[in-house]
Structure formats: C-alpha cells, structure tokens
Amino acid sequence: MKILHITESYGGGVTSAIDTYVSHSDQFEHYLFACVRDNDKTGEEGEGGFKKTYLVKRNLRSLLRLRSVIAELKPDVLHLHSTYAGFFVRLMPYIERKKVVYTPHAFAFLRNQNPLLLKMYFYIEKLLARRTHFIAGCGRDEMLIAQDFMEPENTFELINICAPIKHLQANSLGNIKPVIAMLGRVSDQKGYDFFAEVAKRLQAHASLVWIGGGDSVGEDILRNAGVNVTGWADRSEVLKKLMKADLYFHTAAWDGFPISVLEAAEFDKPIILRDIGPFAAEGLNTVLDIDDAVKEILCFLNDDPNALARAHGNAMQIKSYHSPKNLQRSLDDLYIKFESVVK
C-alpha cells in the first residue's frame, strides 16, 4: 500500500512526528510531499524513510505540482498533516474522500485568537470532515475532539513518540543557577508571553532558556524578561541544550502532543506543563496560570517532595505511554483498517 504524506508545515515537531509514523509502519511504502518552513528547519528534512520525497515551495503552484504527483504515484492513502494541508487538499475536487486521513497536529480553533475567527475555524473543520475518511489525532485529546465531527470508529489516536536519540556530548549552557528550559518555535502557539511573565518573577532563582527562535517581537519580549533565546539550530545542537536543563517547562497555549515534551521525558528531565487539552486528557500534572506556575516551580527549586514527585511523575508517565510499541499498534490499527477501505 502506498501512503503519500502531505504537509505545508514540515519543520519542527511535525518533521519528527511524520518521520516516526513512517519508521513505525515500514511495511508500507511512504512518500512525502511537503513545504518546508525555513524558520522551523531541524536538519532532518527529507531524511525519513520515504521511498521518494517532494520538497516544494510554499505557493499556489505547488498545489498544481501535487496533482501531478498524485497522478504519478497513484497512492492508496493521502495522509494530511496540519491545518493548511488539511484545508487545501480536502477542498480539491479530484481528491477521493475514501483515501483521506487527516492528522491536525493541533486544531486551529484551539488557538488564542478572536472568538469569531475560532468559531469559523471550528465550522470549517466540521464541514471538511465530510471530505475525510479518518481523523487520526496526534494524541488522545485530538482524537476526542475529532469525535465532534465524525463517528468515533473513524477516529484514531496516533501517539506521538520521541525518535531514538543518540548519545550526545552536551556543552554547558554557562549557568550557575538551575536551568529552566522551553523548546519550540517562538510563537503565540507556544506561549512565549506566558514563559516571559514567569521568567520575570524567577530571575533571582533560576536561569530561563528558550531553545529555538521565531517571531522577532516574541524574541524581544523574552529577552527583555531575562530569557536566553538560543535561536534555531539543527536537532543535535537543540538536544544538547535540552540535556543541560534542570527542569523542562512547556508553556504552549494550544498544541498537539509536542515532540519537545517527549524529548525531555526521554532525557528523564522533570517536567512542568501548562494546563491544555493534550496533557489534561492523559491525566498529567499541570499548572493553571502564571501564579500557579511560579508557585510550582519555586516549590520544585526548593526541593519540595510533592513538587518533585509531580514533575518527575510527568516524565515517567509520558515515557511509559508514548512508547514505540504503542505507536506501532496505533498505526497498524489505522492503516490496516484503511487498507480494507481502499481495496
């Protein structure tokens, strides 16, 4: 069976997620058609286990190229990743609904934007679900949300996992204080404003580091709050920086189940999480707001046994559930069922 993965947002966590889907279902032929976001490059683009890769520019002409690629490959499954690919591809009249599986990697209507705009996103997703055979959420929360649009038996949970990490020699971040890190694109989605406000109140107690880059205004806000913004680097350099953190603090305002959190768990880093759907759905310990976050981090830094247990417990629970075995089982359930549909 041929599976063509299509995404407009190839970069960052989406790169890692798609690559792990491919490596854990290698009994199928996988192809990639993707636009790479320059600011989100990880150094892994095009390195997955794809039989063929089509990396294109982010413009309307690429949609015409996609049509020719589909005609050439004749894929059995079109696996769409993220909002824009999910929107444009499902609108194309020549795309067969029975071949479409869609993984949102964070629904657009969960963003922190104008309520009317979010309502519009919600109804667009609801309408486009009619052009979708399966929705495969990247986590339990996305699967449950997808059941607002279609029957539960047509929804799946694809557990995000951390790709194998080679032993890395990490250089010191040059900090004497404990290091609290966040990894991701500097964007509204990843909650740079939340991280900055917490950083202002913790400067005397810890060194706060944002591993990544992105929005220039956001980077300035973080730096003015005393945060060390590292900028983007390839994955090995990013992981070396993450290894040196004493605490991983994920502040996204909305998300799928982020690969960065899984990487922190893989390194056995204690983890504190902002209260959003993916984490709440799995029963992880979370902080509700900035005051709650500051209190929890201070308790952790002061070796409060309950705070230590919560942060280390998050890492253990994530690592146990988001395992290669569970992902492989999820992909088998999805693609084998899909295989019976396309025949």
Side-chain angles (χ1 to χ4, degrees):
M1 184 168 68
K2 294 180 181 179
I3 301 167
L4 176 60
H5 297 268
I6 304 171
T7 182
E8 175 276 337
S9 57
Y10 199 56
V14 175
T15 299
S16 299
I18 296 175
D19 287 353
T20 57
Y21 296 170
V22 171
S23 64
H24 288 79
S25 58
D26 58 5
Q27 70 270 39
F28 306 112
E29 287 185 17
H30 293 273
Y31 300 81
L32 175 69
F33 185 94
C35 303
V36 180
R37 291 183 178 180
D38 290 338
N39 292 336
D40 292 346
K41 287 183 178 178
T42 67
E44 303 167 289
E45 289 74 28
E47 292 185 2
F50 303 103
K51 189 163 185 179
K52 192 169 183 179
T53 297
Y54 305 84
L55 297 181
V56 299
K57 293 185 178 180
R58 193 183 181 199
N59 55 42
L60 291 176
R61 281 180 295 179
S62 294
L63 295 177
L64 298 176
R65 177 82 190 282
L66 174 61
R67 183 169 189 170
S68 66
V69 167
I70 291 173
E72 172 194 336
L73 290 179
K74 296 181 174 56
D76 301 296
V77 178
L78 301 174
H79 195 153
L80 315 181
H81 299 268
S82 294
T83 300
Y84 288 111
F87 176 75
F88 286 109
V89 177
R90 287 185 291 176
L91 282 179
M92 294 176 179
Y94 64 87
I95 297 296
E96 296 180 77
R97 173 188 174 274
K98 69 176 184 178
K99 291 188 174 185
V100 174
V101 55
Y102 170 51
T103 299
H105 298 279
F107 281 108
F109 55 79
L110 299 177
R111 298 174 180 176
N112 185 18
Q113 293 180 334
N114 183 290
L116 291 177
L117 187 61
L118 299 183
K119 195 170 186 178
M120 182 185 73
Y121 288 152
F122 179 87
Y123 283 109
I124 287 172
E125 289 285 4
K126 192 167 187 177
L127 286 170
L128 289 177
R130 299 175 184 177
R131 296 274 298 140
T132 314
H133 201 90
F134 299 116
I135 295 180
C138 59
R140 188 179 303 169
D141 185 52
E142 278 196 358
M143 179 189 71
L144 295 175
I145 292 171
Q147 292 173 9
D148 288 337
F149 309 137
M150 57 175 50
E151 295 299 318
E153 60 265 25
N154 281 22
T155 64
F156 290 83
E157 177 186 9
L158 293 185
I159 304 163
N160 275 354
I161 67 165
C162 177
I165 299 176
K166 298 177 182 178
H167 178 74
L168 300 169
Q169 184 65 42
N171 297 320
S172 171
L173 289 173
N175 301 96
I176 298 173
K177 299 174 186 174
V179 176
I180 301 171
M182 164 70 186
L183 195 168
R185 180 160 45 96
V186 177
S187 63
D188 289 337
Q189 178 186 354
K190 296 299 182 180
Y192 67 78
D193 51 347
F194 193 102
F195 194 88
E197 288 302 315
V198 172
K200 289 177 186 177
R201 295 164 61 174
L202 292 175
Q203 288 186 42
H205 307 276
S207 296
L208 285 97
V209 178
W210 188 289
I211 303 171
D215 180 84
S216 59
V217 173
E219 289 188 11
D220 287 342
I221 288 172
L222 287 166
R223 291 190 179 101
N224 290 336
V227 177
N228 173 17
V229 180
T230 68
W232 277 118
D234 63 33
R235 186 167 183 258
S236 63
E237 288 302 313
V238 166
L239 292 176
K240 287 176 184 178
K241 291 179 171 62
L242 179 60
M243 284 180 66
K244 297 304 297 181
D246 298 291
L247 173 67
Y248 184 72
F249 176 39
H250 197 81
T251 56
W254 71 91
D255 225 329
F257 203 102
I259 299 297
S260 57
V261 174
L262 302 174
E263 290 169 338
E266 184 68 16
F267 286 136
D268 296 316
K269 298 296 178 184
I271 297 171
I272 293 177
L273 302 164
R274 187 175 176 181
D275 186 37
I276 58 175
F279 307 138
E282 294 189 11
L284 296 165
N285 287 293
T286 59
V287 292
L288 294 173
D289 52 30
I290 291 167
D291 288 340
D292 196 19
V294 170
K295 180 181 177 182
E296 182 73 357
I297 292 172
L298 286 174
C299 287
F300 175 88
L301 294 176
N302 290 323
D303 294 327
D304 175 85
N306 293 322
L308 292 172
R310 286 189 290 268
H312 286 285
N314 276 342
M316 291 174 60
Q317 185 174 334
I318 291 166
K319 195 171 181 179
S320 173
Y321 185 62
H322 291 263
S323 69
K325 185 176 180 180
N326 284 344
L327 174 62
Q328 189 166 15
R329 186 184 302 117
S330 299
L331 289 164
D332 285 346
D333 289 345
L334 170 63
Y335 289 140
I336 289 172
K337 188 172 182 179
F338 213 101
E339 191 171 37
S340 69
V341 171
V342 297
K343 283 183 176 179

